[in-house]
Amino acid sequence: MSFAARYEKRRTAFEKELTAFLPKLQYPSPLGEAVRYALTSGGKRLRPILLLESAQLFTPENEQAISLAAIAVESLHTYSLIHDDLPCMDNDDFRRGKQTCHKVFGEANALLAGDALLNLAYECMFESSLLGENGKAAGLLLAKAASGSGLIGGQVADLQPNADKESVAYIYRNKTGALITAALEMGAVLGGATSAERQKIVNFGQIFGFCFQLQDDLLDKETDADKKTYLNLYGEEETKRILKEKTSEAIACIADMHGTEFLIELTENFMERTE
């Protein structure tokens, strides 16, 4: 089976879990419609897949907690996309080939849909924490990743006028990398990883997140000419060199761990993706 087929199998499995979960959301109209629209607008589902794959490297004891955590991660990621697309942020009209949430439901409803999804993430994690101490620890990781010193802090930095090496690296680590790293570490925690194993996963996640944003920059070079990116600071060839070097570093973090073949192949494929 090809990597694409194996990835799609994992993505489809998560979609089924998410679809089964959606009827639990008893939100008033049009909030419910906006939340469902955003959550079901497709996408790679990379972050929940990373969480699920990380957990399976170890000896997970509670699949329900892991499933809830995966949904929490995707809910939080979707909230961040809705808010990132708003007129006061990037003011985007399309996301994943569809109109952005605020274009369909209005700015106020989109803002509230993002708020609802952020809170939904914590609802999932609080429910997960009732299933054991590892659930509580994973919930704290998610909260820190989304905080002012994580994703939100990275978004704030992205809105500032200055663009030097340090500020761009900060944006990459936080706006993009914090949630990716948290998803992987949450999986390791819920899977029962040792401290040493967990640290390897964290190291991998931090570099993977950085590489993921570098590749995004290369893919979006025609539309992101004015944005704060390594591509605009260093040029295309140097950015490609850095990406190749960092990709090798990421793989080296987990190369000696049992069962990481899929994560390694995922890393190689995502850093060479064309869309």
Side-chain angles (χ1 to χ4, degrees):
M1 186 184 294
S2 68
F3 168 77
R6 284 182 283 126
Y7 189 91
E8 182 59 21
K9 183 178 180 181
R10 287 164 168 80
R11 194 191 69 79
T12 300
F14 174 74
E15 294 287 356
K16 289 180 179 178
E17 292 280 344
L18 183 61
T19 299
F21 178 82
L22 288 177
K24 298 178 182 179
L25 305 182
Q26 300 298 313
Y27 298 159
S29 183
L31 178 63
E33 289 86 344
V35 165
R36 289 178 178 83
Y37 177 84
L39 269 179
T40 59
S41 290
K44 302 177 184 69
R45 308 301 193 192
L46 172 65
R47 290 150 190 83
I49 287 175
L50 288 174
L51 186 152
L52 294 165
E53 197 65 27
S54 176
Q56 294 308 315
L57 293 176
F58 309 106
T59 53
E61 295 181 355
N62 198 315
E63 297 294 340
Q64 185 182 0
I66 294 167
S67 178
L68 283 168
I71 291 170
V73 165
E74 188 62 17
S75 297
L76 198 146
H77 176 55
T78 304
Y79 127 76
S80 74
L81 298 181
I82 292 175
H83 282 197
D84 197 36
D85 290 336
L86 288 171
C88 62
M89 297 287 188
D90 283 355
N91 194 23
D92 286 324
D93 293 340
F94 293 93
R95 168 74 64 178
R96 297 166 176 167
K98 298 175 67 175
Q99 284 190 301
T100 48
C101 197
H102 70 272
K103 284 293 179 181
V104 178
F105 298 96
E107 188 174 348
N109 286 322
L111 179 67
L112 292 168
D115 293 343
L117 283 162
L118 174 60
N119 283 281
L120 176 61
Y122 297 128
E123 287 178 44
C124 289
M125 292 314 303
F126 276 122
E127 188 173 345
S128 177
S129 71
L130 297 176
L131 305 174
E133 285 299 312
N134 285 346
K136 187 184 298 183
L140 181 59
L141 288 171
L142 185 62
K144 287 182 176 179
S147 71
S149 58
L151 190 156
I152 294 173
Q155 178 67 70
V156 170
D158 199 23
L159 294 172
Q160 305 310 307
N162 298 326
D164 54 27
K165 180 180 178 181
E166 289 73 23
S167 63
V168 173
Y170 180 89
I171 293 166
Y172 284 19
R173 285 195 307 271
N174 292 282
K175 183 178 177 181
T176 302
L179 187 55
I180 286 175
T181 304
L184 284 156
E185 187 175 8
M186 288 165 69
V189 167
L190 292 168
T194 66
S195 296
E197 291 167 335
R198 180 174 168 180
Q199 188 59 55
K200 288 183 180 182
I201 291 294
V202 169
N203 294 342
F204 166 72
Q206 290 172 340
I207 304 172
F208 180 98
F210 191 88
C211 290
F212 185 85
Q213 187 58 57
L214 283 178
Q215 182 63 2
D216 259 9
D217 293 346
L218 290 167
L219 291 173
D220 296 338
K221 62 183 178 182
E222 301 300 329
T223 57
D224 288 353
D226 298 325
K227 289 192 174 183
K228 303 179 185 67
T229 67
Y230 262 54
L231 185 62
N232 292 335
L233 287 173
Y234 296 108
E236 186 170 349
E237 291 308 310
E238 178 65 5
T239 300
K240 287 180 177 178
R241 187 197 67 77
I242 294 170
L243 174 61
K244 184 176 180 180
E245 179 182 283
K246 292 290 185 182
T247 299
S248 296
E249 287 181 18
I251 291 170
C253 292
I254 57 172
D256 64 345
M257 295 178 67
H258 177 72
T260 57
E261 293 81 7
F262 180 80
L263 281 177
I264 290 172
E265 197 170 357
L266 183 152
T267 303
E268 294 169 340
N269 276 266
F270 264 74
M271 303 320 159
E272 295 174 358
R273 70 192 189 281
T274 57
E275 60 181 8

